[in-house]
């Protein structure tokens, strides 16, 4: 099943490029906006007083979470659209006698492969985009810190985000 799924993914690789590009850009945006939540130079502790007064630090964190929610929904929509485009493949798999569980597994293997490739490309791209982004933000905020800030918590948050997206995709199937 895994071999067949990967062979079909490879044969349809031109269609995968668009989805992979969309996911890389969306994950890159998620990674950049996670800086507002994880970078100690950009964040401040939010207290209950900040929440009740709707302070600036609370608004920035809320804006970051909103952008993350939009990015997650965009990735889920893109993946769902990609899966709907492949009705011909699903028809072939059904005609071959696979059960509904195996069809979901077939699609899941393809989505995991695409996600892993997208995450690897995003991490490589973040080595360039994060310092550029932090340079702009630090200059605007008059912060004099190192722009080469790579927190492992950021990358673990992206990993958690990807796992949540996969769970949502399984539920959608």
């Amino acid at each position: 099943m895994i071999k067949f799924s990967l062979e079909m993914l490879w044969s349809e690789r031109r269609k995968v490029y668009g989805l992979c590009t969309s996911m890389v850009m969306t994950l890159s945006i998620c990674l950049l906006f996670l800086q507002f939540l994880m970078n100690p130079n950009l964040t401040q502790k939010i207290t209950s007083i900040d929440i009740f007064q709707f302070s600036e630090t609370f608004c920035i964190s809320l804006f970051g979470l909103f952008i993350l929610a939009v990015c997650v929904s965009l990735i889920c929509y893109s993946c769902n659209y990609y899966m709907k485009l492949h009705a011909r493949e699903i028809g072939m798999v059904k005609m071959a006698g696979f059960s509904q569980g195996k069809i979901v597994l077939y699609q899941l293997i393809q989505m995991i492969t695409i996600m892993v490739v997208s995450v690897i490309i995003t991490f490589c791209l973040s080595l360039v985009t994060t310092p550029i982004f932090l340079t702009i933000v630090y200059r605007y905020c008059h912060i004099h810190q190192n722009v080469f800030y790579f927190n492992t918590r950021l990358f673990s948050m992206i990993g958690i985000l990807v796992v949540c997206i996969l769970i949502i995709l399984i539920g959608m199937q």
Side-chain angles (χ1 to χ4, degrees):
M1 178 57 118
I2 293 174
K3 182 180 177 186
F4 176 69
S5 177
L6 294 177
E7 285 176 1
M8 289 302 291
L9 187 66
W10 181 254
S11 68
E12 299 286 332
R13 67 184 172 273
R14 291 186 186 219
K15 293 179 184 177
V16 175
Y17 291 152
L19 176 64
C20 196
T21 303
S22 170
M23 289 178 62
V24 165
M25 292 300 141
T26 308
L27 286 173
S28 295
I29 291 170
C30 285
L31 199 58
L32 292 178
F33 275 95
L34 275 172
Q35 289 282 342
F36 287 116
L37 300 175
M38 299 291 180
N39 191 334
N41 299 323
L42 296 176
T43 60
Q44 297 175 353
K45 294 286 184 183
I46 297 176
T47 62
S48 58
I49 296 169
D50 291 332
I51 295 171
F52 290 124
Q53 292 179 349
F54 212 67
S55 69
E56 184 178 343
T57 56
F58 178 67
C59 289
I60 289 172
S61 297
L62 201 60
F63 180 69
L65 289 174
F66 176 74
I67 294 294
L68 288 175
V70 168
C71 288
V72 166
S73 64
L74 179 65
I75 290 173
C76 289
Y77 175 76
S78 297
C79 291
N80 194 28
Y81 179 73
Y82 172 79
M83 285 190 253
K84 299 292 185 212
L85 281 178
H86 289 62
R88 180 178 59 104
E89 289 178 32
I90 301 304
M92 286 181 5
V93 171
K94 280 185 181 180
M95 287 175 38
F98 289 109
S99 65
Q100 185 67 26
K102 288 196 177 196
I103 292 172
V104 171
L105 180 66
Y106 168 80
Q107 290 177 329
L108 185 65
I109 290 169
Q110 288 186 341
M111 281 298 116
I112 288 173
T113 305
I114 293 170
M115 286 261 194
V116 166
V117 169
S118 297
V119 167
I120 290 170
I121 294 171
T122 300
F123 287 155
C124 293
L125 189 64
S126 74
L127 295 175
V128 174
T129 58
T130 300
I132 294 170
F133 175 74
L134 288 178
T135 300
I136 294 168
V137 171
Y138 284 178
R139 284 197 183 173
Y140 180 74
C141 295
H142 305 291
I143 298 172
H144 303 289
Q145 295 291 327
N146 186 9
V147 293
F148 296 102
Y149 176 78
F150 298 103
N151 190 349
T152 56
R153 287 181 56 205
L154 278 170
F155 298 118
S156 64
M157 287 296 287
I158 288 292
I160 292 169
L161 206 62
V162 167
V163 169
C164 291
I165 290 169
L166 285 173
I167 291 171
I168 291 170
L169 289 174
I170 290 171
M172 289 169 62
Q173 292 304 313

